[in-house]
Each structure stands twice: as structure tokens, then as C-alpha cells.
Amino acid sequence: MSTKCKYCGSSCYGSGCYHSPTGKHEHRDDQSHCEWCGSSCYGSGCYHSPTGKHRHGSGANKCIWCGSTANGSGCYHSPTGKHEK
């Protein structure tokens, strides 16, 4: 399944989205991949993310920052330290 940027509908990742507030494409409809770069990784290493960390689309009751099904605090990848779904 090919995902699309939520702001402009492009299948591109990274810079170049003129409708996004960050200027970068965001694909929030895929829980298995980073919304900023398309990687299946979690944690640090996303060059397109404003935080430098991969953030996946929501769904499947998983944290968007680490992939855990846990709730509350304890997410080392989240900027807030909390699991977000």
C-alpha cells in the first residue's frame, strides 16, 4: 500500500511539502512505518523528523514512538516520556 502525505497527497517523503507547517511530507496513515521517512524503525535516526526520532502512524493500539502496546509513562523515544497511540 502506498501512503500519501496528509497535507498534499504526494507519495514523497522529506522536504518539499508547501502545505505542511514544517515544510516536510507527513504520512500518518501507516502504523508500520515512520510518517516522516517511511522506515520501519523506531527511535533515533530519522533525518526528516523535527525531533530526529521516528514516529509511526497511529493504529493497532501501538505507541507511535516505540511500537509498544503499553500505556502511560516509560517510552524512551517519546519527547514526553509517555506512550502515545
Coordinates of all heavy atoms in Angstrom, one line a residue:
M1 N 0.8 -1.2 0.0 CA 0.0 0.0 0.0 C 0.9 1.2 0.0 O 1.8 1.4 0.8 CB -0.9 0.0 1.2 CG -1.7 1.2 1.4 SD -2.8 1.1 2.8 CE -2.1 2.3 3.9
S2 N 0.7 2.1 -0.9 CA 1.4 3.4 -1.0 C 0.6 4.4 -0.2 O -0.5 4.6 -0.4 CB 1.5 3.8 -2.4 OG 2.2 5.0 -2.5
T3 N 1.3 5.1 0.7 CA 0.7 6.1 1.5 C 0.9 7.5 0.9 O 1.8 7.6 0.1 CB 1.3 6.1 3.0 OG1 2.6 6.4 2.9 CG2 1.0 4.7 3.6
K4 N 0.1 8.4 1.3 CA 0.2 9.8 0.8 C 0.4 10.8 1.9 O -0.1 10.6 3.0 CB -1.1 10.1 0.1 CG -1.5 9.1 -1.0 CD -0.6 9.3 -2.2 CE -1.1 8.4 -3.4 NZ -0.2 8.4 -4.4
C5 N 1.0 11.9 1.6 CA 1.2 12.9 2.6 C -0.2 13.5 2.9 O -1.0 13.7 2.1 CB 2.1 14.0 1.9 SG 2.2 15.5 2.9
K6 N -0.4 13.7 4.2 CA -1.7 14.2 4.7 C -1.9 15.6 4.3 O -3.1 16.1 4.3 CB -1.8 14.0 6.2 CG -1.0 15.1 7.0 CD -1.3 14.9 8.5 CE -1.4 16.3 9.2 NZ -2.1 16.3 10.4
Y7 N -0.9 16.4 3.9 CA -1.1 17.8 3.5 C -1.3 18.0 2.1 O -2.0 18.8 1.6 CB 0.1 18.6 4.0 CG 0.1 18.7 5.5 CD1 1.1 18.1 6.3 CD2 -0.8 19.5 6.2 CE1 1.1 18.1 7.6 CE2 -0.8 19.6 7.6 CZ 0.2 18.9 8.3 OH 0.2 19.0 9.7
C8 N -0.5 17.2 1.2 CA -0.5 17.5 -0.2 C -0.9 16.3 -1.1 O -1.1 16.4 -2.3 CB 0.8 18.1 -0.7 SG 2.2 16.9 -0.6
G9 N -0.9 15.1 -0.5 CA -1.3 13.9 -1.3 C -0.1 13.3 -2.0 O -0.3 12.3 -2.7
S10 N 1.1 13.8 -1.9 CA 2.2 13.2 -2.6 C 2.7 11.9 -1.9 O 2.5 11.7 -0.7 CB 3.4 14.3 -2.5 OG 4.6 13.7 -3.0
S11 N 3.3 11.1 -2.7 CA 3.9 9.9 -2.1 C 5.3 10.1 -1.7 O 6.0 9.2 -1.2 CB 3.8 8.7 -3.1 OG 4.5 9.1 -4.3
C12 N 5.9 11.3 -1.8 CA 7.2 11.6 -1.4 C 7.4 11.8 0.1 O 6.4 12.0 0.8 CB 7.7 13.0 -2.0 SG 7.7 12.9 -3.8
Y13 N 8.6 11.6 0.6 CA 9.0 11.8 2.0 C 10.0 13.0 2.0 O 10.6 13.3 1.1 CB 9.6 10.6 2.6 CG 8.6 9.5 2.9 CD1 8.4 8.5 1.9 CD2 7.9 9.4 4.1 CE1 7.4 7.5 2.2 CE2 7.0 8.4 4.3 CZ 6.8 7.5 3.4 OH 5.9 6.4 3.6
G14 N 10.1 13.6 3.2 CA 11.2 14.6 3.4 C 10.6 16.0 3.0 O 9.4 16.3 3.0
S15 N 11.6 16.9 2.7 CA 11.2 18.3 2.4 C 10.5 18.4 1.1 O 10.5 17.5 0.2 CB 12.5 19.1 2.3 OG 13.2 19.1 3.5
G16 N 9.8 19.5 1.0 CA 9.2 19.9 -0.3 C 7.6 20.0 -0.2 O 7.0 20.2 -1.3
C17 N 7.1 19.8 0.9 CA 5.6 19.9 1.0 C 5.3 21.4 1.4 O 5.6 21.9 2.5 CB 5.0 19.0 2.1 SG 3.2 19.2 2.3
Y18 N 4.7 22.1 0.4 CA 4.4 23.5 0.6 C 3.2 23.8 1.5 O 2.9 24.9 1.9 CB 4.2 24.2 -0.7 CG 5.5 24.1 -1.5 CD1 5.6 23.3 -2.6 CD2 6.6 24.9 -1.2 CE1 6.8 23.2 -3.3 CE2 7.8 24.8 -1.9 CZ 7.9 24.0 -3.0 OH 9.0 23.9 -3.7
H19 N 2.4 22.7 1.8 CA 1.2 22.9 2.6 C 1.4 22.5 4.1 O 0.6 22.9 4.9 CB 0.1 22.0 2.0 CG -0.3 22.3 0.6 ND1 -0.9 23.5 0.2 CD2 0.0 21.7 -0.5 CE1 -1.0 23.6 -1.1 NE2 -0.5 22.5 -1.6
S20 N 2.5 21.8 4.4 CA 2.8 21.4 5.7 C 3.4 22.5 6.5 O 4.2 23.3 6.0 CB 3.8 20.2 5.7 OG 4.3 20.0 7.0
P21 N 3.1 22.7 7.8 CA 3.7 23.7 8.6 C 5.2 23.5 8.8 O 5.9 24.5 9.1 CB 2.9 23.6 10.0 CG 2.1 22.4 9.9 CD 2.0 21.9 8.5
T22 N 5.7 22.3 8.7 CA 7.1 22.1 8.8 C 7.8 22.1 7.5 O 9.0 22.0 7.4 CB 7.4 20.7 9.5 OG1 6.8 19.7 8.6 CG2 6.7 20.6 10.9
G23 N 7.1 22.1 6.4 CA 7.7 22.0 5.1 C 8.0 20.6 4.6 O 8.6 20.4 3.6
K24 N 7.7 19.6 5.5 CA 8.0 18.2 5.2 C 6.7 17.4 5.0 O 5.7 17.7 5.7 CB 8.9 17.7 6.3 CG 10.2 18.4 6.4 CD 11.1 17.8 7.4 CE 12.4 18.6 7.4 NZ 13.4 18.0 8.3
H25 N 6.8 16.4 4.2 CA 5.7 15.5 4.0 C 5.5 14.6 5.2 O 6.4 14.2 5.9 CB 6.0 14.6 2.8 CG 6.1 15.3 1.5 ND1 5.1 15.9 0.8 CD2 7.3 15.6 0.8 CE1 5.5 16.5 -0.3 NE2 6.9 16.3 -0.3
E26 N 4.2 14.4 5.6 CA 3.8 13.5 6.7 C 2.8 12.5 6.3 O 1.8 12.8 5.8 CB 3.2 14.4 7.8 CG 4.2 15.4 8.4 CD 3.5 16.2 9.6 OE1 2.7 15.6 10.3 OE2 3.8 17.4 9.6
H27 N 3.2 11.2 6.5 CA 2.3 10.1 6.1 C 1.8 9.5 7.4 O 2.4 8.5 7.9 CB 3.1 9.1 5.3 CG 3.6 9.6 4.0 ND1 3.3 9.1 2.8 CD2 4.5 10.6 3.7 CE1 3.9 9.7 1.9 NE2 4.6 10.6 2.4
R28 N 0.7 9.9 7.9 CA 0.2 9.4 9.2 C -0.8 8.2 9.1 O -1.3 7.8 10.1 CB -0.5 10.6 9.9 CG 0.4 11.7 10.3 CD -0.2 12.5 11.4 NE 0.8 13.5 11.8 CZ 0.6 14.5 12.6 NH1 -0.6 14.6 13.1 NH2 1.5 15.3 13.0
D29 N -0.9 7.7 7.9 CA -1.9 6.6 7.8 C -1.3 5.2 7.8 O -1.9 4.2 7.4 CB -2.8 6.8 6.5 CG -1.9 7.0 5.3 OD1 -0.7 7.1 5.4 OD2 -2.5 6.9 4.2
D30 N 0.0 5.1 8.2 CA 0.6 3.8 8.2 C 1.3 3.5 9.5 O 2.3 4.1 9.9 CB 1.7 3.7 7.1 CG 2.4 2.4 6.9 OD1 2.1 1.5 7.7 OD2 3.2 2.3 6.0
Q31 N 0.7 2.6 10.3 CA 1.2 2.3 11.7 C 2.5 1.5 11.6 O 3.2 1.4 12.6 CB 0.2 1.6 12.5 CG -0.1 0.2 12.0 CD -1.5 -0.2 11.8 OE1 -2.4 0.7 11.8 NE2 -1.8 -1.4 11.7
S32 N 2.9 0.9 10.5 CA 4.1 0.1 10.4 C 5.3 0.9 10.0 O 6.4 0.3 10.0 CB 3.8 -1.0 9.4 OG 2.8 -1.8 9.8
H33 N 5.1 2.1 9.6 CA 6.3 2.9 9.1 C 6.3 4.3 9.6 O 5.2 4.9 10.0 CB 6.2 2.9 7.6 CG 6.4 1.6 7.0 ND1 5.3 0.8 6.6 CD2 7.5 0.9 6.7 CE1 5.8 -0.3 6.1 NE2 7.1 -0.3 6.1
C34 N 7.5 4.9 9.7 CA 7.7 6.3 10.1 C 6.9 7.2 9.2 O 7.0 7.1 8.0 CB 9.2 6.6 10.2 SG 9.5 8.3 10.6
E35 N 6.2 8.2 9.8 CA 5.4 9.1 9.0 C 6.3 10.1 8.3 O 5.9 10.7 7.3 CB 4.4 9.8 9.8 CG 5.0 10.8 10.9 CD 3.9 11.4 11.7 OE1 3.1 10.7 12.4 OE2 3.8 12.7 11.6
W36 N 7.5 10.3 8.8 CA 8.4 11.3 8.2 C 9.3 10.7 7.1 O 9.6 11.4 6.1 CB 9.4 11.9 9.2 CG 8.6 12.5 10.4 CD1 8.4 12.0 11.6 CD2 8.0 13.8 10.4 NE1 7.7 12.9 12.4 CE2 7.5 14.0 11.6 CE3 7.9 14.8 9.4 CZ2 6.8 15.2 12.0 CZ3 7.3 16.0 9.7 CH2 6.7 16.2 11.0
C37 N 9.8 9.4 7.2 CA 10.7 8.9 6.2 C 10.3 7.6 5.6 O 10.9 7.1 4.7 CB 12.1 8.8 6.9 SG 12.2 7.5 8.1
G38 N 9.3 6.9 6.2 CA 8.9 5.6 5.6 C 9.6 4.4 6.2 O 9.3 3.3 5.8
S39 N 10.5 4.6 7.1 CA 11.3 3.5 7.7 C 10.4 2.7 8.6 O 9.5 3.2 9.2 CB 12.5 4.0 8.4 OG 13.1 3.0 9.2
S40 N 10.7 1.4 8.8 CA 10.0 0.6 9.8 C 10.7 0.7 11.2 O 10.2 0.1 12.1 CB 9.9 -0.8 9.3 OG 11.2 -1.4 9.2
C41 N 11.7 1.5 11.3 CA 12.5 1.6 12.6 C 11.8 2.5 13.6 O 10.9 3.3 13.2 CB 13.9 2.2 12.3 SG 14.9 1.2 11.3
Y42 N 12.1 2.3 14.8 CA 11.7 3.2 15.9 C 12.9 3.9 16.5 O 14.0 3.4 16.3 CB 11.0 2.4 17.0 CG 9.6 1.9 16.6 CD1 9.4 0.7 16.2 CD2 8.5 2.8 16.7 CE1 8.1 0.2 15.8 CE2 7.2 2.3 16.4 CZ 7.0 1.1 15.9 OH 5.8 0.6 15.6
G43 N 12.7 5.0 17.2 CA 13.9 5.6 17.9 C 14.6 6.6 17.1 O 14.0 7.2 16.1
S44 N 15.8 6.9 17.4 CA 16.6 7.9 16.8 C 17.0 7.5 15.3 O 17.0 6.3 15.0 CB 17.9 8.2 17.6 OG 17.6 8.6 18.8
G45 N 17.4 8.5 14.5 CA 17.9 8.2 13.2 C 17.0 8.7 12.1 O 17.3 8.5 10.9
C46 N 15.9 9.4 12.4 CA 15.1 9.9 11.3 C 15.6 11.3 10.9 O 15.4 12.3 11.7 CB 13.6 10.0 11.7 SG 12.6 10.6 10.3
Y47 N 16.1 11.5 9.7 CA 16.6 12.8 9.3 C 15.6 13.8 8.9 O 15.8 15.0 8.8 CB 17.6 12.6 8.1 CG 18.8 11.7 8.5 CD1 18.9 10.4 8.1 CD2 19.8 12.3 9.4 CE1 20.0 9.6 8.5 CE2 20.9 11.5 9.8 CZ 21.0 10.2 9.3 OH 22.0 9.4 9.7
H48 N 14.4 13.3 8.7 CA 13.3 14.2 8.3 C 12.4 14.7 9.4 O 11.7 15.7 9.3 CB 12.4 13.6 7.2 CG 13.1 13.2 6.0 ND1 13.8 14.1 5.2 CD2 13.3 12.0 5.4 CE1 14.3 13.5 4.2 NE2 14.0 12.2 4.3
S49 N 12.5 14.0 10.6 CA 11.7 14.3 11.7 C 12.2 15.6 12.4 O 13.4 15.7 12.6 CB 11.6 13.2 12.7 OG 11.1 13.5 13.9
P50 N 11.3 16.5 12.9 CA 11.8 17.6 13.7 C 12.5 17.2 15.0 O 13.3 18.0 15.5 CB 10.5 18.4 14.0 CG 9.5 17.9 13.0 CD 9.9 16.5 12.7
T51 N 12.2 16.1 15.5 CA 12.8 15.6 16.8 C 14.0 14.7 16.5 O 14.7 14.3 17.5 CB 11.7 14.8 17.6 OG1 11.3 13.7 16.9 CG2 10.5 15.7 18.0
G52 N 14.2 14.3 15.3 CA 15.3 13.3 15.0 C 14.9 11.9 15.3 O 15.7 11.0 15.1
K53 N 13.6 11.7 15.7 CA 13.2 10.3 16.0 C 12.0 9.9 15.1 O 11.2 10.7 14.7 CB 12.7 10.3 17.5 CG 13.8 10.5 18.5 CD 13.3 10.3 19.9 CE 14.5 10.5 20.8 NZ 14.1 10.3 22.2
H54 N 12.0 8.6 14.8 CA 10.9 8.1 14.0 C 9.6 8.1 14.8 O 9.6 7.9 16.0 CB 11.2 6.6 13.6 CG 12.4 6.4 12.8 ND1 12.5 6.8 11.5 CD2 13.7 5.9 13.2 CE1 13.7 6.5 11.1 NE2 14.5 6.0 12.1
R55 N 8.5 8.5 14.1 CA 7.2 8.5 14.6 C 6.3 7.8 13.6 O 6.1 8.3 12.5 CB 6.7 9.9 14.9 CG 5.3 9.9 15.6 CD 5.0 11.3 16.0 NE 4.6 12.1 14.8 CZ 4.4 13.4 14.8 NH1 4.5 14.1 15.9 NH2 4.1 14.1 13.7
H56 N 5.7 6.7 14.0 CA 4.8 5.9 13.2 C 3.4 6.5 13.2 O 3.0 7.2 14.1 CB 4.8 4.5 13.6 CG 6.0 3.8 13.3 ND1 6.1 2.5 12.8 CD2 7.3 4.1 13.4 CE1 7.3 2.1 12.6 NE2 8.1 3.1 13.0
G57 N 2.6 6.1 12.2 CA 1.2 6.5 12.2 C 0.5 5.7 13.3 O 0.9 4.7 13.8
S58 N -0.7 6.2 13.7 CA -1.4 5.6 14.8 C -2.2 4.4 14.3 O -2.5 4.3 13.1 CB -2.3 6.6 15.5 OG -3.2 7.1 14.6
G59 N -2.5 3.5 15.2 CA -3.3 2.3 14.9 C -2.8 1.1 15.6 O -1.7 1.1 16.1
A60 N -3.6 0.0 15.5 CA -3.2 -1.3 16.1 C -2.9 -1.2 17.6 O -2.1 -2.0 18.1 CB -2.0 -1.9 15.3
N61 N -3.3 -0.1 18.3 CA -3.1 0.0 19.7 C -1.6 0.0 20.1 O -1.3 -0.5 21.1 CB -3.9 -1.1 20.5 CG -4.1 -0.7 21.9 OD1 -4.2 0.5 22.3 ND2 -4.0 -1.7 22.8
K62 N -0.8 0.6 19.2 CA 0.7 0.6 19.4 C 1.1 2.1 19.7 O 0.5 3.0 19.1 CB 1.4 0.1 18.2 CG 1.3 -1.4 18.0 CD 2.1 -1.7 16.8 CE 2.1 -3.2 16.5 NZ 2.9 -3.5 15.3
C63 N 2.1 2.3 20.5 CA 2.7 3.6 20.7 C 3.3 4.0 19.4 O 4.1 3.3 18.7 CB 3.8 3.5 21.8 SG 4.7 5.0 22.0
I64 N 3.1 5.3 19.0 CA 3.6 5.8 17.7 C 5.1 6.0 17.8 O 5.8 6.1 16.8 CB 2.9 7.1 17.3 CG1 3.1 8.2 18.3 CG2 1.4 6.8 17.0 CD1 2.5 9.5 18.0
W65 N 5.7 6.1 19.0 CA 7.1 6.3 19.2 C 8.0 5.0 19.3 O 9.1 5.0 18.9 CB 7.4 7.2 20.4 CG 6.8 8.6 20.2 CD1 5.7 9.0 20.8 CD2 7.3 9.6 19.4 NE1 5.4 10.3 20.4 CE2 6.4 10.7 19.6 CE3 8.4 9.8 18.6 CZ2 6.6 11.9 19.0 CZ3 8.6 11.0 18.0 CH2 7.7 12.1 18.2
C66 N 7.4 4.0 19.9 CA 8.2 2.8 20.2 C 7.6 1.5 19.7 O 8.2 0.4 19.7 CB 8.6 2.7 21.6 SG 7.2 2.3 22.7
G67 N 6.3 1.5 19.4 CA 5.6 0.3 19.0 C 5.1 -0.6 20.1 O 4.4 -1.6 19.8
S68 N 5.3 -0.2 21.3 CA 4.8 -1.0 22.4 C 3.2 -0.8 22.6 O 2.7 0.2 22.2 CB 5.4 -0.5 23.7 OG 4.8 -1.0 24.9
T69 N 2.6 -1.8 23.2 CA 1.2 -1.7 23.5 C 0.9 -1.2 24.9 O -0.2 -1.2 25.3 CB 0.5 -3.1 23.3 OG1 1.1 -4.1 24.1 CG2 0.5 -3.6 21.8
A70 N 2.0 -0.9 25.6 CA 1.9 -0.3 26.9 C 1.2 1.0 27.0 O 1.2 1.7 25.9 CB 3.3 -0.2 27.6
N71 N 0.7 1.4 28.1 CA 0.1 2.7 28.3 C 0.9 3.5 29.4 O 1.6 2.9 30.1 CB -1.3 2.6 28.8 CG -2.2 2.0 27.8 OD1 -2.3 2.5 26.6 ND2 -3.0 1.0 28.1
G72 N 0.7 4.8 29.4 CA 1.3 5.7 30.4 C 2.8 6.0 30.2 O 3.3 5.9 29.0
S73 N 3.5 6.2 31.2 CA 4.9 6.6 31.1 C 5.8 5.4 30.8 O 5.4 4.2 30.9 CB 5.4 7.2 32.4 OG 5.3 6.3 33.5
G74 N 7.1 5.7 30.4 CA 8.0 4.6 30.2 C 8.5 4.5 28.7 O 9.3 3.6 28.4
C75 N 8.1 5.4 27.9 CA 8.5 5.4 26.5 C 9.8 6.2 26.3 O 9.7 7.4 26.5 CB 7.4 5.9 25.5 SG 8.0 5.8 23.8
Y76 N 10.9 5.6 26.1 CA 12.2 6.2 26.0 C 12.3 7.1 24.7 O 13.2 7.9 24.6 CB 13.3 5.2 26.1 CG 13.3 4.6 27.4 CD1 12.9 3.2 27.6 CD2 13.7 5.2 28.6 CE1 12.9 2.6 28.8 CE2 13.7 4.6 29.8 CZ 13.3 3.3 29.9 OH 13.3 2.7 31.1
H77 N 11.5 6.8 23.7 CA 11.6 7.5 22.4 C 10.7 8.7 22.3 O 11.0 9.6 21.6 CB 11.3 6.5 21.3 CG 12.3 5.4 21.2 ND1 13.6 5.5 21.1 CD2 12.0 4.1 21.2 CE1 14.2 4.4 21.0 NE2 13.2 3.4 21.1
S78 N 9.6 8.7 23.1 CA 8.7 9.9 23.1 C 9.3 11.1 23.7 O 9.9 11.0 24.8 CB 7.4 9.5 23.8 OG 6.6 10.6 24.1
P79 N 9.1 12.3 23.1 CA 9.6 13.5 23.7 C 9.0 13.8 25.1 O 9.6 14.4 26.0 CB 9.2 14.6 22.8 CG 8.9 13.9 21.5 CD 8.5 12.5 21.8
T80 N 7.8 13.2 25.4 CA 7.2 13.4 26.7 C 7.4 12.3 27.7 O 7.1 12.4 28.8 CB 5.6 13.5 26.5 OG1 5.1 12.3 26.0 CG2 5.2 14.7 25.6
G81 N 8.0 11.2 27.2 CA 8.3 10.1 28.0 C 7.1 9.2 28.2 O 7.2 8.2 29.0
K82 N 6.0 9.5 27.5 CA 4.8 8.7 27.7 C 4.5 8.0 26.3 O 4.7 8.6 25.3 CB 3.6 9.6 28.1 CG 3.8 10.2 29.4 CD 2.6 11.1 29.8 CE 2.9 11.7 31.2 NZ 1.8 12.6 31.5
H83 N 3.9 6.8 26.4 CA 3.4 6.1 25.3 C 2.2 6.9 24.7 O 1.3 7.3 25.4 CB 3.0 4.7 25.6 CG 4.1 3.8 26.1 ND1 5.1 3.4 25.3 CD2 4.4 3.4 27.3 CE1 5.9 2.7 26.0 NE2 5.6 2.7 27.2
E84 N 2.3 7.1 23.4 CA 1.2 7.8 22.7 C 0.6 6.9 21.6 O 1.4 6.3 20.9 CB 1.7 9.1 22.0 CG 2.2 10.1 23.0 CD 2.8 11.3 22.3 OE1 2.3 11.8 21.3 OE2 3.9 11.8 22.8
K85 N -0.7 6.8 21.5 CA -1.3 6.0 20.5 C -2.2 6.8 19.5 O -2.5 7.9 19.7 CB -2.1 4.9 21.2 CG -1.2 4.0 22.0 CD -2.0 3.0 22.7 CE -1.0 2.2 23.6 NZ -1.6 1.1 24.3

